[in-house]
Amino acid sequence: MPADQAPDTAAGFDCLAPPRLRGWPAMQARIVHHVKRAALRQLHASNAGEMLLLRFYLVGEESSEQALQRELRIDPPDWLARQLDQHLADEQLHARLFAEAIVERGGTAQAAASPEEAPRPDWFSRRKLARWQQLIRRHAPHFGHGGLVPAYAIGLSAEQMASRILQRHCALIGRQHALHPLLSRVLADEDRHIRLCSHTLQRCVAPHEQARLAQLMREVRDTERGFGITGAAGMWLAGVALRLRPGATRPVQHQHHA
């Protein structure tokens, strides 16, 4: 069973496990997978491309920190506040490790000391974040726990996507690559976050709210898919441009201390 599956999902919460895609969505997922593998090869062909990949991960981790601080800190119960503290600590550690890996490759990067200092996501990511905000506002009134539920639903989908991305990346580069220990470490944490998000939603959503949760998860995943092909194509083009840039250097194998 893939790591982003939820084997202990309770009855009525099947929508939390990744759906079995058919038809066009399944074909779309296959296209995205192959384009992203090709994009990873292009990005790993130059040192600048490899640093750009690490920056994608760094900004992603720091965007997660911002979401945890902003959306989920609105008077959570004690048990959830403790869980959020651990999740936030994980994201901060990941950001620090990605920043260190960029510096090891000759770049400049520093994990933000606070969410306010974090680098601003690119235009594409900002559009997706704006769409998430719309979903939270629209669905929050339909749950007893308000915006906590749609925020966690989006978080679950994002963690499942991160797990798929990291699995693909680890499989492509292999265990001998200098980045494998870092990526596999982050992957293990993301898979743990998936289980936590799933358990939190099962605990927070009442039986009469399950149908609404299923609708919400469909909308969240449709949004992810809608951005998938565009993002994959952008990654591939960036990789080609950096590899073919005059003076581009191939990556040097670094020993990572994660």
Side-chain angles (χ1 to χ4, degrees), residues 172-210:
L172 181 81
I173 62 177
R175 291 181 176 276
Q176 301 308 311
H177 195 282
L179 279 175
H180 193 277
L182 169 58
L183 298 181
S184 59
R185 174 180 183 161
V186 176
L187 172 59
D189 286 342
E190 301 295 8
D191 287 343
R192 180 164 48 80
H193 295 164
I194 288 169
R195 293 190 292 274
L196 286 172
C197 287
S198 179
H199 293 157
T200 300
L201 286 165
Q202 292 175 63
R203 189 166 176 176
C204 290
V205 173
H208 70 277
E209 297 170 342
Q210 288 176 354

Side-chain angles (χ1 to χ4, degrees), residues 224-239:
E224 288 282 15
R225 277 195 294 275
F227 283 91
I229 289 180
T230 308
M235 274 181 65
W236 184 82
L237 288 170

Side-chain angles (χ1 to χ4, degrees), residues 142-145 149 204-214:
H142 299 276
F143 295 99
H145 281 274
V149 172
C204 290
V205 173
H208 70 277
E209 297 170 342
Q210 288 176 354
R212 185 78 191 196
L213 176 64

Side-chain angles (χ1 to χ4, degrees), residues 137-156:
R137 285 195 298 272
R138 187 154 52 81
H139 285 277
H142 299 276
F143 295 99
H145 281 274
L148 197 68
V149 172
Y152 252 93
I154 290 166
L156 172 64

Side-chain angles (χ1 to χ4, degrees), residues 18-65:
R20 295 184 181 280
L21 300 177
R22 295 179 178 81
W24 167 239
M27 184 180 296
Q28 189 178 18
R30 284 196 295 273
I31 292 170
V32 168
H33 175 73
H34 289 298
V35 173
K36 284 192 173 179
R37 278 181 62 89
L40 287 171
R41 289 194 191 95
Q42 294 291 343
L43 288 163
H44 276 295
S46 72
N47 192 57
E50 207 161 80
M51 286 195 291
L52 180 61
L53 263 177
L54 289 164
R55 285 190 191 280
F56 283 150
Y57 285 128
L58 172 61
V59 172
E61 295 292 342
E62 297 198 314
S63 296
S64 297
E65 285 182 45

